[in-house]
Amino acid sequence: GSNTSSDKSSAGKGDKQIVMGFSQIGAESEWRTAHTKDIKQAAQDAGIKLIFSDAQQKQENQIKAIRSFIAQGVDIIAFTPIVETGWDTVLKEAKDAKIPVIIVDRDVKLNDDSLYVAKIGTDSVTEGQNAFKWIDEYMKKQNKKPRDGGDKFNIVVLEGTVGSSVAVRRSQGFTEAMKASPDASKYEILASQTGEFTRQKGQEVMESFLKSYGDKIDILFAQNDDMALGAIQAIEAAGLKPGKDITIISIDGVKGIFQAMIEGKSNCTVECNPLQGKLLMETAKKILKGEKVEKNVFVKEGVFPADTAKDTLPSRKY
Ligand code: GZL
């Protein structure tokens, strides 16, 4: 006989185009630009209508965007939280409106984890640990000596956005790995300050580091490649050789840093994978079909020292 109880949920979702509201942080770095491009392409490939909002680095704009997605009655909301805290209220409003939420790239601190269905991100702690481990190996392999003739390698750190899970966790990973190293006593962090993940700010803060500690700095740990690229300009302007006088490690793996490594101006990049769009769209479709999804998924990432840069650059996708 005929199917008396028509199953609205599958039929409704089956043929109606899914509408996703996406709140992006902004366009602060090459990495972020690649992240946005990949998400827009993945939505198109998946036949999902994307309502995209650029928050210009302001949390209040993300909250406004999420409220507007709720008012528009989108099927699903995804966003990259610029900072960890301050999301409980607006995510409760999304939950009350029965709109599922996916957290993308960065992480949040919530009182109630049921306020989001899934999180697709990058493992910032491991990235920070990998950054220190590589530096520790490199200083030994190159038989480097502290520039000030002392017994410690002096490190300066350009941090990411204040309060972002990525900055907090990359610092945590880096310092944890340093403390765990047998060489811990050979390193000293002289200064650590935010460069807001941008080239411009990275250059400015590095200029101030050089003024304060010029001939004592052995290592720069930049929490993204864009700040490292800005710092390289400051180091050269100070008459020093980036990648030689000052060993540089950063995180992301964008094309710009591969080029700098080929030119001998940077020493290593720890990859952070922005190509999260396909997984995001697949996860959204599963959620809207009522299928179970993993709460927390990490995308894959590697480590790329300068001597791999020439061979790797042609295959880099961002
Ligand atoms: C990392 C991402 C960071 C990148 C920066 O997952 O959130 O934000 O490292 C970007 O380049 O600005």
Side-chain angles (χ1 to χ4, degrees):
S2 72
N3 170 7
T4 47
S5 64
S6 71
D7 173 352
K8 279 202 179 32
S9 68
S10 61
K13 293 289 175 231
D15 46 27
K16 185 174 84 63
Q17 185 183 32
I18 291 173
V19 179
M20 174 187 283
F22 188 91
S23 165
Q24 180 60 293
I25 288 176
E28 71 280 2
S29 64
E30 274 185 63
W31 190 98
R32 183 65 55 207
T33 310
H35 186 242
T36 292
K37 183 164 166 269
D38 184 66
I39 283 168
K40 288 181 174 173
Q41 186 57 53
Q44 197 178 327
D45 297 347
I48 287 178
K49 181 175 184 322
L50 192 71
I51 304 177
F52 182 87
S53 150
D54 175 329
Q56 314 275 323
Q57 312 298 324
K58 290 188 174 62
Q59 180 176 29
E60 68 262 25
N61 290 345
Q62 292 202 279
I63 291 172
K64 276 188 203 125
I66 292 169
R67 288 207 164 109
S68 135
F69 297 150
I70 294 170
Q72 295 175 62
V74 299
D75 298 304
I76 193 159
I77 291 170
F79 75 111
T80 306
I82 184 165
V83 293
E84 291 182 301
T85 55
W87 303 103
D88 299 81
T89 305
V90 73
L91 294 186
K92 182 79 174 60
E93 292 165 23
K95 185 173 184 181
D96 293 346
K98 300 201 178 354
I99 300 175
V101 172
I102 302 177
I103 311 280
V104 180
D105 176 31
R106 295 187 185 174
D107 206 344
V108 291
K109 271 207 171 88
L110 294 170
N111 300 323
D112 169 6
D113 270 1
S114 77
L115 293 181
Y116 68 89
V117 179
K119 182 154 56 74
I120 294 166
T122 51
D123 185 351
S124 308
V125 173
T126 302
E127 292 158 358
Q129 290 168 340
N130 285 340
F132 177 80
K133 285 176 187 164
W134 190 86
I135 279 286
D136 200 12
E137 278 311 301
Y138 182 77
M139 300 312 267
K140 276 188 287 208
K141 237 183 333 197
Q142 300 294 317
N143 197 18
K144 289 264 186 181
K145 296 282 175 276
R147 284 177 60 217
D148 65 359
D151 57 357
K152 284 179 189 287
F153 291 116
N154 291 314
I155 303 171
V156 290
V157 182
L158 289 170
E159 298 170 0
T161 304
V162 177
S164 66
S165 61
V166 173
V168 170
R169 294 178 189 180
R170 284 177 182 168
S171 293
Q172 178 193 335
F174 190 85
T175 45
E176 270 170 8
M178 185 189 304
K179 286 201 182 84
S181 158
D183 307 316
S185 62
K186 281 171 41 187
Y187 296 95
E188 170 103 32
I189 295 182
L190 287 180
S192 186
Q193 195 178 324
T194 184
E196 295 169 6
F197 281 137
T198 68
R199 281 190 189 212
Q200 175 59 38
K201 197 73 184 154
Q203 180 174 353
E204 283 169 21
V205 176
M206 191 66 200
E207 278 162 8
S208 71
F209 285 161
L210 287 161
K211 279 200 189 74
S212 315
Y213 309 104
D215 294 336
K216 284 170 67 80
I217 301 172
D218 299 293
I219 295 163
L220 164 64
F221 167 40
Q223 291 186 356
N224 84 332
D225 295 339
D226 286 62
M227 293 189 289
L229 291 166
I232 285 167
Q233 288 178 274
I235 293 167
E236 288 179 318
L240 295 171
K241 288 191 180 56
K244 292 172 187 55
D245 297 323
I246 296 179
T247 300
I248 300 174
I249 183 151
S250 56
I251 300 178
D252 275 352
V254 296
K255 284 195 177 103
I257 204 70
F258 277 86
Q259 193 47 47
M261 289 195 283
I262 289 169
E263 292 162 11
K265 296 183 179 179
S266 197
N267 302 94
C268 181
T269 184
V270 173
E271 186 186 32
C272 175
N273 185 352
L275 309 179
Q276 305 165 0
K278 190 166 180 291
L279 182 55
L280 170 59
M281 301 307 158
E282 286 164 357
T283 304
K285 285 187 172 175
K286 283 182 183 164
I287 290 168
L288 291 170
K289 282 199 191 103
E291 290 172 19
K292 207 120 173 58
V293 296
E294 278 189 76
K295 185 83 174 172
N296 197 348
V297 176
F298 288 124
V299 290
K300 296 190 179 31
E301 36 206 34
V303 179
F304 295 91
D307 55 15
T308 66
K310 202 164 174 51
D311 298 342
T312 311
L313 180 54
S315 62
R316 295 298 296 168
K317 296 194 186 71
Y318 61 91

